Amino acid sequence: MSSPRLPSSVALQYYDKAIHAVTKSFDNPTFQSMQALIILAKFALSNGQPIVAQPFMFNCIRMAKLLRLDVDPDDSPWLNMLTEQKKLERRRVYHVALLYALAHRIFCPSIETADIGIGSGCVKPIYTHSIVNGVPMLEISTICHNQSLLTYIEQVRRHHCLTPPTSMAVLLNRSEYELMHQRLLYLKSTLPEHLILSSRLNITQFLASEALTSENILTVFPTLIDKTALTLYYNTAVCLLHRSRLLATGFLHLDSPALMDNPAAMATLLASLDASVISARCIAEVNGWLCAQQAQFSALVLLKIWKENTVASLCLFEACVVLWFAVCRTQPFWWWRGDGEQGSDGDETDNARKDVWADGLPGSRGPLGILCMTREDRVAMRKGVADINRTLKGLERLLSGSPEGSSPASEPAISSGGSNAGSARVSPDIGFTASPIGNNMISPLLSAIQCMLSEMEEVEMRSEGIRVSTQNRNSDPALDSIVIGMTEMSLGSIKTVMEEPWVFCSLLGCEIGGSVRLRCYYDDPWRLFWANVTYLKQ
């Protein structure tokens, strides 16, 4: 965590000594011990090892409750002797602990955590001084806004973790969706407009105005980090809200009763498809802009944005999921065919689409709108995913302590389904090994993204009339599917145990390339749900 970074051996020695000192205070919690736990958790996350960070996060949350940090110092008579500076420090530590509690709930839902007042608003927010358009302002710190968005993301994830709906009609008419959508709109209204990019117009203006130079990088960089984090969290929240309905566009047939019997169903799914793709492209374009800055600045300077916001960097994967699915799985009849490409759905599809758009669908913009899927759109989306892949590769090396330009860390733990479940077998067309050496939280995401890129390239080739061979795919009859997980590691040692990768939401039963899926405990019910939708034509 120092700058410049200490040698790994020296850092691990300090880390081991800190652990021995802190563990002695577990039974006698103090404010200082809690601060030490925060530093240890951040150190583990900055090395890409969330499994190592879990016990520190858990004990940090437990201590926060025991120390009554969920009560504001001004409302705590036993803290009357504290100065205003000490009260501010106490609030700041609470808000950091609250972020860890939210991360623990999102990424480790199977482990019970203490409730430290998430969403209660009992502790006053932190304020920071900032300059907006040349005007000094006192604003709520972005850490508080990040908490609000992560709280919302945790609720949406919990919604997806529940038993899938009994039918497609139920999925399209869930009352919870409208409530969550209205809450997201309210959350957006509370966010500073200058710190969030949520539309293609915002992105264009941002890219035109935020030119980094050697003279302004020190002043722009802090705001850039804040804007990046808020933009990623908000647009990820949009993607997650619409995840199940986005996936429906890949499984529903045009003559499905869910569409034929419900005139509003197509408008509902088109709106979800539109919102998902717009938000995913916002994330991808901000990352693409940062990648373009590497020509002027060291890649390590820009990778610091992701290293300082390790959890926020996971939002990049959610954008990849949306863009991959829209290009490769969303069925052709959902896209406007105004680009001259030949579809296979006939005039009936276009007539249905025109009827929907006549009703004033908010996201529809005719042949020039986001609901087009031309060759240029596919290329742009694949480039966005490729840029994210490049960013995460750099972050993977940085989290592992590798110098810039060194070879990437080896790939994550992978097990095959079927009779060889739990082994480290790999499909021939993927081309990576299962060695866990140098693995971190980014590695499983990279493996999935590389498979997405391969499938997106195949779709492009098919659209241009190029024949694509798939004989290598699933060539091993004993290999039913490939499960990508995260190897459990300790700093300095390795345990060959595969954990669920840290993602905001799983693929909800979908497989990349027909055989690759993420390890997730709630995926199987969704896989069965989509199978019923496909074969029973719900």
Side-chain angles (χ1 to χ4, degrees):
M1 295 176 64
S2 63
S3 182
R5 189 183 180 97
L6 290 173
S8 297
S9 58
V10 177
L12 288 174
Q13 288 177 6
Y14 285 123
Y15 167 79
D16 289 335
K17 292 180 179 180
I19 288 180
H20 289 305
V22 171
T23 50
K24 294 179 181 178
S25 66
F26 280 174
D27 296 330
N28 185 27
T30 64
F31 186 70
Q32 290 73 22
S33 297
M34 185 176 167
Q35 289 175 303
L37 285 171
I38 289 175
I39 294 174
L40 288 172
K42 185 173 178 61
F43 177 81
L45 287 175
S46 68
N47 281 272
Q49 301 302 334
I51 305 298
V52 179
Q54 279 184 21
F56 304 132
M57 294 165 64
F58 181 84
N59 281 285
C60 176
I61 297 166
R62 182 180 64 87
M63 283 191 182
K65 189 69 175 177
L66 293 174
L67 294 172
R68 301 291 306 275
L69 261 71
D70 54 330
V71 180
D72 191 81
D74 288 341
D75 300 323
S76 307
W78 61 92
L79 298 176
N80 286 338
M81 76 294 298
L82 293 183
T83 64
E84 288 301 318
Q85 187 62 32
K86 289 292 184 180
K87 290 181 179 180
L88 178 60
E89 183 182 11
R90 190 177 174 91
R91 293 188 187 105
R92 185 177 291 111
V93 169
Y94 166 79
H95 285 294
V96 174
L98 187 54
L99 277 181
Y100 282 149
L102 288 167
H104 210 275
R105 284 189 175 190
I106 293 171
F107 302 115
C108 315
S110 59
I111 302 176
E112 291 293 331
T113 57
D115 185 354
I116 60 170
I118 292 178
S120 65
C122 294
V123 178
K124 295 177 181 178
I126 307 170
Y127 288 87
T128 57
H129 294 277
S130 61
I131 299 178
V132 180
N133 296 326
V135 180
M137 296 183 65
L138 187 64
E139 293 187 310
I140 295 178
S141 173
T142 52
I143 190 174
C144 300
H145 296 304
N146 289 341
Q147 288 169 7
S148 300
L149 288 170
L150 282 173
T151 300
Y152 178 85
I153 287 173
E154 190 269 333
Q155 292 171 348
V156 173
R157 178 195 169 104
R158 196 178 339 125
H159 173 75
H160 289 315
C161 292
L162 299 175
T163 304
T166 55
S167 67
M168 181 59 65
V170 175
L171 184 147
L172 294 175
N173 294 290
R174 276 187 165 179
S175 57
E176 301 97 321
Y177 169 83
E178 186 58 32
L179 292 175
M180 290 189 295
H181 184 237
Q182 291 301 320
R183 183 157 187 269
L184 183 59
L185 293 178
Y186 169 75
L187 277 178
K188 184 182 179 182
S189 69
T190 66
L191 301 175
E193 292 185 3
H194 66 282
L195 289 180
I196 183 170
L197 309 171
S198 59
S199 72
R200 301 293 296 280
L201 180 60
N202 289 136
I203 293 292
T204 302
Q205 294 172 344
F206 171 74
L207 301 184
S209 62
E210 295 288 347
L212 292 178
T213 65
S214 56
E215 289 78 21
N216 72 2
I217 189 168
L218 293 179
T219 56
V220 171
F221 203 75
T223 303
L224 188 59
I225 291 179
D226 289 340
K227 185 175 291 189
T228 300
L230 269 182
T231 295
L232 292 175
Y233 285 137
Y234 173 77
N235 286 289
T236 295
V238 174
C239 292
L240 296 181
L241 172 64
H242 297 281
R243 173 64 59 82
S244 59
R245 292 183 173 185
L246 168 71
L247 301 187
T249 64
F251 292 96
L252 272 180
H253 298 279
L254 185 59
D255 58 351
S256 298
L259 295 180
M260 302 296 290
D261 300 340
N262 184 1
M266 184 168 280
T268 296
L269 292 178
L270 283 171
S272 291
L273 175 62
D274 187 33
S276 298
V277 174
I278 286 177
S279 289
R281 293 191 75 171
C282 280
I283 294 173
E285 288 186 18
V286 169
N287 174 72
W289 179 81
L290 289 170
C291 287
Q293 305 303 309
Q294 293 184 13
Q296 184 175 0
F297 303 98
S298 167
L300 288 177
V301 173
L302 297 171
L303 283 173
K304 183 182 177 184
I305 291 181
W306 306 116
K307 192 173 185 297
E308 293 295 320
N309 296 274
T310 312
V311 174
S313 69
L314 304 178
C315 298
L316 298 176
F317 180 75
E318 302 304 324
C320 291
V321 172
V322 172
L323 298 179
W324 157 73
F325 196 90
V327 169
C328 301
R329 300 302 177 82
T330 295
Q331 298 197 48
F333 65 82
W334 294 101
W335 302 112
W336 177 273
R337 294 185 297 127
D339 60 343
E341 293 187 6
Q342 295 299 314
S344 58
D345 310 302
D347 294 336
E348 180 182 355
T349 303
D350 286 338
N351 291 334
R353 296 289 301 277
K354 290 174 183 176
D355 291 341
V356 170
W357 288 349
D359 293 335
L361 178 68
S364 60
R365 285 171 292 280
L368 300 179
I370 195 67
L371 290 172
C372 292
M373 183 56 76
T374 65
R375 179 182 180 278
E376 289 73 20
D377 290 315
R378 284 190 289 268
V379 171
M381 292 184 189
R382 181 171 59 83
K383 182 181 182 301
V385 175
D387 284 342
I388 290 175
N389 184 61
R390 182 154 59 102
T391 294
L392 292 182
K393 277 187 177 180
L395 181 60
E396 182 195 41
R397 294 194 292 271
L398 187 61
L399 293 181
S400 297
S402 301
E404 182 182 4
S406 64
S407 58
S410 51
E411 303 297 340
I414 300 167
S415 71
S416 62
S419 60
N420 291 318
S423 65
R425 299 180 61 105
V426 185
S427 176
D429 63 311
I430 294 182
F432 48 66
T433 63
S435 170
I437 305 300
N439 202 325
N440 59 51
M441 62 194 294
I442 302 300
S443 304
L445 309 187
L446 276 174
S447 298
I449 291 172
Q450 288 162 8
C451 297
M452 292 176 187
L453 281 170
S454 296
E455 191 173 351
M456 295 173 82
E457 289 173 358
E458 290 180 6
V459 169
E460 282 185 43
M461 293 170 67
R462 288 196 193 97
S463 69
E464 296 174 4
I466 302 175
R467 186 174 181 179
V468 179
S469 173
T470 59
Q471 73 178 89
N472 286 333
R473 185 165 294 173
N474 286 341
S475 59
D476 187 344
L479 188 62
D480 292 339
S481 61
I482 300 166
V483 182
I484 298 178
M486 181 171 59
T487 303
E488 180 180 348
M489 300 181 66
S490 297
L491 295 178
S493 64
I494 299 172
K495 301 176 184 178
T496 55
V497 178
M498 190 168 69
E499 300 284 346
E500 294 183 8
W502 269 36
V503 292
F504 287 105
C505 185
S506 76
L507 300 180
L508 297 186
C510 293
E511 295 184 345
I512 309 166
S515 61
V516 179
R517 55 189 173 91
L518 295 180
R519 181 183 179 90
C520 180
Y521 74 93
Y522 57 89
D523 255 20
D524 287 341
W526 278 101
R527 190 172 295 108
L528 179 60
F529 172 76
W530 296 123
N532 289 334
V533 169
T534 301
Y535 295 113
L536 300 180
K537 289 191 175 183
Q538 292 186 0

